[in-house]
Each structure stands twice: as structure tokens, then as C-alpha cells.
Amino acid sequence: MTFVPPPAMTSRPTLQGTFGMAATTHWTASATAQAVLERGGNAFDAAVAAGFVLHVVEPHLNGPGGDLTGVFTTAADPSPQVLVGQGPAPQGATIEHYRAEGLDLVPGAGALGAAVPAAVDAWFVLLRDHGTWELADVLEFAIGYARDGHPVLARVCATIAGVSELFAEHWPTSAELWAPEGRAPEPGELVRLPAYARVLQRLVEAGADATDRVGRIEAARSAWREGFVAEAVEEFVRTPHRHASGTDHAGVITAADFAGFSAGYEPAVTVEFRGHTIAKTGFWGQGPALLQTLAILEGFTDAEIDPSTAAGAHRIVEALKLALADRDAYYGDGEGALAPPAETLLSAEYAAERRALIGETASAELRPGVLPGRTAYQPPLRVTYDVSGAGAAAGEPTVSRAGETKGDTCHVDVVDKWGNLVSVTPSGGWLQSSPTIPELGFCLGTRLQMTWLDEDSPSGLRPGQRPRTTLTPTLVLRDGVPVTALGSPGGDQQDQWQLLYLLRTIVGGYTPQQAIDAPAFHTTSMPGSFWPRTWTPGEIVVEDRIGEEVIAELTRLGHLVTRAGDWALGRLSSVSRDPATGVLTAAANPRGMQGYAVGR
């Protein structure tokens, strides 16, 4: 082994079996997925059931008003496909309108940040095309937890407490749902979401007259996209409310925006690395930044890219900075002159050019590549942003009053005995993102905060185009055969933490749980994707367990090292299948004492 050996003891075992495996960011969702497998459902039935349970048990990290991306293969077709559950900007979401509202950034909280909610439609499309269960059976778990209650997480309680003043002063419908007695719930207290339970039940009942399973799912999709849900959203957002900007605005999303969106599929974008194919979403998400980083690191020896050494961590984080600079310069859902130059960005020749820029010391510059015939977009580079008058939650979950973001989301991985493999990262619509729509029991997401109010940006705000999402699950193939599905919450850190897992398992020979447990790090030396979109030039955030010698050497190399604590970074989970033996594995993150893997 060329990497530093992992500790013999792991926080939990890498699970092994032959029947089915599920790993998610909450034990209840994992148990739900496994329950579906035990009752004869396949990986897609299980993932959808778990996804709706996550709406209930992790409402501070995702919700029905949010979005998702997935990557999967089926037992019949090994080619990786992307599930597109990222909705576009509404037709009324124009740069001119937001500028006229006095804004220079899309707010991180409030309905002006809402893309068209896409998560629910995407789950339904996945179930329709690749599942086997009836919609009513899949939603039974989430309906039960929403109606009858579930023991609420301490982190949910802390999130509610952190925005209690905002709720009380500006978002009364949110206060009524999440603090009905004038206080945040206590950890472990049973929390019920009766309005959302009724929404799910109405979606099931919409298909009562349909004659087959697909018809019943399509009826539910229509009720969501063209019926009572879309109508309630349009009516609610007409009333101005407080945004993260500290000012009041009405939303622009309409029922027509709901009806105009339909979730679907795209082929995955891939690169080869050390005999493996790594599959990600397209350049409308940040996923290709991981592919670019791997292409850069391909040119180093195994020992030179060990994340547990100072030299390896240095090379890895410098490669990430280069890829993320390209992300901000070229990625987006644009067309024509603003279309990402995908072929060039993923080419071996371009990777070699970028690799040559990695020096002996840390860079504190944003260095996008120079491409023929293209102008690299230069995003605003702010180390601070005045949020003193905001008075609203901001950014991705786990937020401070001042709008500081630390990031989290949800994740689901499932593999079944037939060889179906699926990885999905749901997010957005968290309880603190915008006011609760009372008759629906949930709020809208704020994914549009990842767009710039600048026509020159490839990820500028444009009606009908997707914001450049951070949601980025991963699928790995070996010799053309799918072997691993993985992912992580964490905003801009998602691909950075997944990169460490891939290096440690593919190159270092770590087991999945060893790779998840190993000390993590990431860089913040790029403009953040979440409001207020600041950056910290040259910073590397590390877990203290990486060691004093490594930290000292990284500092000597010029990195601005921030210690995060021993167990603070990474929210990974993964499932795998050995095509030679059929043995399945699963592993999940111990940090936060929330993620769990189950299976047999």
C-alpha cells in the first residue's frame, strides 16, 4: 500500500451481504429503504421511499419545495444516467427584476431565491420508470411519520431556535408550524407535520380513478405540477415577506412555472481515473469539477496524492482550486457563447496544462484556465459581505444569524440483489429557507442564490435555465460495470470530500468505512455558491486528526489552515457491488451521529 495505512479500528463496520444495502444521512430513511427491499421492492422503490421520509426527518436539510440530482444504473443497462431534479428559474426571475428590487445578489432566504421545485416530480419519475411499487405503498412511510410524529433531531431543534426571532417577527406561518407553543421543540420530542401528510395523501388519492400503476403516478404528478400544490404556491408568494437581504419582496414563481417543468434524465458525464470510470451530472452542476480534479491528479504517482500526507493534501487542494476556478468561470446551463466548453475542460491535454500550475507553495489566487475563443467569467471576490441588517437565515443549512454557512444536505444510496445501483442527493426547501406555505406544510427552496445577477456569467440568472447546483452524487464503474454509488451533503464541499473517498478506495486500497472515517479537508479558496458568496483565499479547512506534523507542513507551504475539530468534515455514504461475486457493501458517516448504513 502506497498510502498511509488506515487505523485498524473503524467507527462501525463496512457492511457486507448479498441481499440489499442502503446508506443515508438519517437512520430512519436507511431503515425505510431496507424495509422496502425486504418487502420485495427494488433499489428505486427503496430510494424513493427513503427520499420522502427525509422530507420529514431532516426538514432543516431538504424539503418537498427543493431539488435533487441522482445518478444510477439498472441491472439491465450499465450506462450511468443522471436523474434531473433541478428545476429552472421561473419566467419572472430576471436580472432586471431583481436589480429593480434593489438587490445585487439573489437572496439566500425568501421566495425570490426559489427555482421551480423539482424534487417531488423527480422522485415520481424515477418510481414510474424504474420502480415496481405502487405510489401509495412507497409514500406510506413518510405519511405515517408526518401524521403520527417522529422523534426530532437535536440539529432540527437548534436550527429552529436559531431562526426563532425571524419566524416570530417576519414569518408567522413558519412559527406556527415549527414553534407552535412559542418555543423550539426539544430533541427527541415527537414532531408532527399534518399538513404535509395531507398533501401526500391527496397526491395518492389523485390517482384513484387511474387503471394502472403508471397512471396513478402520472395523476399524482399532475396534481403536484398543475393542481393544488402549484396553485397554493403562487397564491402565497404574492405577499411580500422578509428575505436574507433584510428587505421585503414578493416571489415571482407561478403555477405556470410548475406546469412548465418536468423531471427527466440525461447521460452522465464521465472521466477515466486509474482504471475506473467516474460518472457525474453535467456542467449545469458542479459535478464535473470532481472530474477535472481527477484528470489533473491522474498525472501524479500514487504516493504523491495520498490525502493523509502534507504533500498529497497540498497537491489535492491545489488541483481542486484550479477545477473550482473553472467551475465559476465556465460552468452553467447556458447556450451558445455561454455553453460550457465541456470537451476541452475534461481533456487530458487541458488537465496537463492545469497540472503544471501546481507549485511548491499554496496559491491564494482564483486561476481559471485560458481557453481559445472564450472569456473566463470573473465572479465578484468578496472576503466579507455586510449582512448586518439582514435578519434572515441564509445560505445552506446550519446557518448563523449573520448568514454564515457551514452546509449540509441529505443523501441516499441503495443497491439491490439484482444489481440496480442508485445515488441521489436531495436538498433545498429546508425549513429556514422561506416562509411555510400553511396549507402545504412546507416552504420553497432558494437554489437561485447560486446564480449571479450578471448577464456575462455562464451561471447568470435567466428564466428557464437551471442554477448551477452544488448537488453532486457519484457513480463509479470498473471495466464498464457499475461498482459503487456514493455522495455527501456539504455544498461546495460535496465533491471535495467525495474526492478523498475515491482516492483512498481506488488508489489507497481503503475499505469504504475506512475511507469515510479518515481525516477530511477542503478548500474555501473560491467564491461560495451560497449567499452571501464570499471566499477565503488560500484557506484549507482540516480535521485535527490529520496530525500536527501535517498541519505544520501545510502552514509552511503557505496554506491558511483552519482547524475544524477531530470529527467535523464530511457526510459521506456509499454502497457497492462486486460484479465478480455479487457481494454488496455499505458504509456511512459517523460524524454528527446521524448517518446510517443497513443491509444484509
Side-chain angles (χ1 to χ4, degrees):
M1 178 182 289
T2 57
F3 277 25
V4 172
M9 192 76 173
T10 54
S11 63
R12 55 189 73 177
T14 294
L15 305 184
Q16 293 183 297
T18 57
F19 178 79
M21 296 280 171
T24 81
T25 46
H26 193 289
W27 61 83
T28 303
S30 299
T32 295
Q34 191 65 20
V36 173
L37 295 177
E38 297 289 350
R39 287 164 53 183
N42 68 15
F44 301 105
D45 300 316
V48 176
F52 279 94
V53 166
L54 287 173
H55 291 164
V56 180
V57 300
E58 290 191 325
H60 61 316
L61 307 179
N62 84 136
D67 30 53
L68 62 80
T69 64
V71 60
F72 65 91
T73 60
T74 68
D77 183 359
S79 58
Q81 296 293 309
V82 171
L83 173 65
V84 181
Q86 178 56 66
Q91 289 303 307
T94 65
I95 292 175
E96 293 76 17
H97 176 75
Y98 286 55
R99 291 287 188 183
E101 293 281 307
L103 300 169
D104 64 344
L105 291 174
V106 177
L112 279 179
V116 178
V120 168
D121 194 54
W123 283 127
F124 285 171
V125 166
L126 187 67
L127 180 68
R128 178 196 68 192
D129 296 337
H130 299 290
T132 63
W133 272 28
E134 288 284 349
L135 180 63
D137 296 328
V138 167
L139 295 184
E140 174 188 359
F141 301 89
I143 291 172
Y145 286 120
R147 181 190 61 227
D148 304 328
H150 72 285
V152 68
L153 292 167
R155 293 182 179 223
V156 177
C157 301
T159 299
I160 296 169
V163 290
S164 60
E165 185 178 336
L166 166 69
F167 283 9
E169 293 180 8
H170 299 289
W171 295 359
T173 56
S174 295
E176 183 178 349
L177 176 62
W178 297 110
E181 300 175 5
R183 62 168 181 85
E186 297 293 329
E189 184 177 339
L190 284 181
V191 168
R192 296 175 175 84
L193 304 175
Y196 185 46
R198 289 192 293 271
V199 167
L200 293 180
Q201 193 60 54
R202 287 183 68 180
L203 294 176
V204 171
E205 292 168 354
D209 295 331
T211 59
D212 59 15
R213 191 186 75 93
V214 169
R216 286 182 278 276
I217 294 172
E218 283 299 309
R221 292 185 68 211
S222 295
W224 174 271
R225 296 168 56 241
E226 303 167 16
F228 72 99
V229 173
E231 293 166 0
V233 169
E234 177 175 353
E235 177 64 28
F236 184 80
V237 303
R238 290 174 178 169
T239 302
H241 55 271
R242 182 55 48 94
H243 282 57
S245 55
T247 48
D248 293 349
H249 309 273
V252 296
I253 193 168
T254 67
D257 292 315
F258 271 75
F261 172 77
S262 180
Y265 310 104
E266 295 178 0
V269 177
T270 64
V271 298
E272 301 298 312
F273 177 77
R274 296 296 205 271
H276 293 70
T277 303
I278 315 300
K280 302 293 287 186
T281 68
F283 284 81
W284 48 269
Q286 74 167 336
L290 174 61
L291 304 183
Q292 282 194 247
T293 307
L294 288 169
I296 293 170
L297 297 178
E298 181 73 59
F300 292 109
T301 67
D302 290 356
E304 289 177 319
I305 53 174
D306 182 352
S308 296
T309 67
H314 169 72
R315 293 185 185 94
I316 290 165
V317 81
E318 292 302 298
L320 280 165
K321 291 176 189 177
L322 295 170
L324 291 167
D326 281 346
R327 179 195 73 169
D328 290 300
Y330 297 114
Y331 289 20
D333 199 24
E335 301 173 347
L338 293 175
E343 185 174 340
T344 299
L345 292 171
L346 295 180
S347 69
E349 295 77 14
Y350 183 69
E353 293 177 14
R354 303 295 274 161
R355 189 182 309 119
L357 296 176
I358 298 177
E360 295 300 318
T361 57
S363 170
E365 299 178 78
L366 189 72
R367 298 185 290 174
V370 178
L371 303 180
R374 301 297 296 261
T375 300
Y377 177 68
Q378 175 67 52
L381 297 177
R382 302 183 178 101
V383 295
T384 60
Y385 186 83
D386 182 12
V387 296
S388 57
E396 206 175 6
T398 316
V399 294
S400 75
R401 183 72 176 174
E404 180 185 8
T405 68
K406 293 300 182 186
D408 252 328
T409 288
C410 301
H411 190 71
V412 179
D413 297 308
V414 188
V415 62
D416 62 30
K417 61 186 176 183
W418 298 286
N420 297 303
L421 197 60
V422 58
S423 180
V424 182
T425 307
S427 187
W430 41 77
L431 66 88
Q432 68 274 30
S433 62
S434 61
T436 297
I437 302 165
E439 58 265 52
L440 301 180
F442 61 82
C443 61
L444 297 175
T446 53
R447 190 62 59 181
L448 294 187
Q449 67 185 287
M450 296 180 178
T451 63
W452 296 104
L453 299 180
D454 187 339
E455 288 286 359
D456 293 332
S457 170
S459 57
L461 177 66
R462 297 179 183 86
Q465 289 189 359
R466 294 167 288 193
R468 196 215 67 219
T469 181
T470 52
L471 305 180
T472 176
T474 301
L475 198 129
V476 181
L477 300 90
R478 188 171 62 243
D479 298 325
V481 180
V483 292
T484 299
L486 71 143
S488 173
D492 291 313
Q493 287 77 55
Q494 289 182 26
D495 277 327
Q496 300 194 55
W497 295 335
Q498 291 180 71
L499 172 66
L500 304 181
Y501 177 99
L502 293 171
L503 294 175
R504 284 174 166 138
T505 54
I506 293 174
V507 184
Y510 284 34
T511 67
Q513 195 63 52
Q514 287 172 339
I516 289 173
D517 284 1
F521 57 81
H522 64 262
T523 182
T524 59
S525 192
M526 72 289 175
S529 293
F530 293 90
W531 187 91
R533 311 209 70 174
T534 57
W535 77 318
T536 308
E539 184 182 50
I540 179 173
V541 183
V542 305
E543 286 187 316
D544 294 43
R545 291 181 298 120
I546 202 169
E548 294 299 325
E549 291 185 7
V550 172
I551 290 173
E553 178 62 11
L554 287 170
T555 302
R556 190 191 69 79
L557 292 173
H559 296 276
L560 177 62
V561 179
T562 296
R563 296 168 180 253
D566 281 342
W567 294 87
L569 307 179
R571 299 290 183 271
L572 287 154
S573 65
S574 72
V575 296
S576 299
R577 180 179 184 272
D578 185 335
T581 64
V583 170
L584 313 176
T585 62
N589 168 59
R591 300 164 181 84
M593 299 180 292
Q594 196 169 309
Y596 224 76
V598 295
R600 65 177 179 88

